[in-house]
Amino acid sequence: MEILLRYLHFISVITLSGTLIAEFFLLKSSLEKKDIRLLGQIDAVYGISALILLGVGLTLWLGGYGKPTEFYSENPTFHLKLGLFVLIGLISIYPTVFFIKNGKGDATDIVKIPSLVHWSLRAELILLALIPLFAGLMAKGIRIF
């Protein structure tokens, strides 16, 4: 069971990263609504992978698989990593709502993309890039504070 959980954790990390990178590179200063709908579909996969990642991660932490619960619970580096994940989720709300609201209507209508959507994706990518560093430190039992 632990191997399956770790596999799902790994696959969801790859899916989450890939979809976020795809959103970043597909986003332009203005898009047709059909392209916004595509971004919305990619964003949905991103959200599903985030939920799977969170669920599996919580199961690994609290379910007694692998390392003891205390290993994670007592490590501030783990809490920083988890906090970054939650922060990314909060930042992702604005682009998600924008894609849902602006993907409706005539497929060829052009929509100007607010700079906050661009900055949100940039911030998510930067924070996401930090999580593997903290995961590696955490796995070695290194506390950063």
Side-chain angles (χ1 to χ4, degrees):
M1 182 58 132
E2 179 187 354
I3 298 299
L4 176 62
L5 288 170
R6 293 201 183 279
Y7 176 75
L8 284 173
H9 195 261
F10 187 70
I11 292 298
S12 58
V13 167
I14 292 170
T15 304
L16 183 136
S17 301
T19 52
L20 184 57
I21 290 167
E23 284 183 44
F24 178 78
F25 282 112
L26 291 171
L27 195 65
K28 307 290 181 221
S29 60
S30 60
L31 292 167
E32 291 184 350
K33 289 195 176 211
K34 66 177 177 162
D35 297 323
I36 293 174
R37 281 196 286 273
L38 174 63
L39 281 169
Q41 292 169 343
I42 294 169
D43 194 65
V45 174
Y46 171 72
I48 291 166
S49 66
L51 291 174
I52 293 170
L53 181 60
L54 182 62
V56 171
L58 289 172
T59 302
L60 287 167
W61 174 20
L62 303 171
Y65 297 99
K67 294 179 175 144
T69 300
E70 296 77 26
F71 176 84
Y72 300 105
S73 298
E74 296 173 5
N75 190 329
T77 308
F78 169 73
H79 292 285
L80 178 59
K81 182 181 87 115
L82 184 59
L84 287 175
F85 182 78
V86 170
L87 181 58
I88 291 168
L90 292 172
I91 293 169
S92 76
I93 292 170
Y94 179 71
T96 298
V97 170
F98 179 84
F99 297 148
I100 291 168
K101 283 185 177 178
N102 291 280
K104 298 174 183 168
D106 185 359
T108 59
D109 284 351
I110 302 291
V111 176
K112 183 174 174 5
I113 308 299
S115 62
L116 187 54
V117 173
H118 292 275
W119 281 106
S120 296
L121 292 178
R122 286 181 190 119
E124 289 176 64
L125 282 169
I126 290 166
L127 295 173
L128 184 62
L130 294 173
I131 290 177
L133 171 64
F134 295 127
L137 293 170
M138 179 201 68
K140 291 293 186 184
I142 297 171
R143 297 168 184 253
I144 58 170
F145 54 88

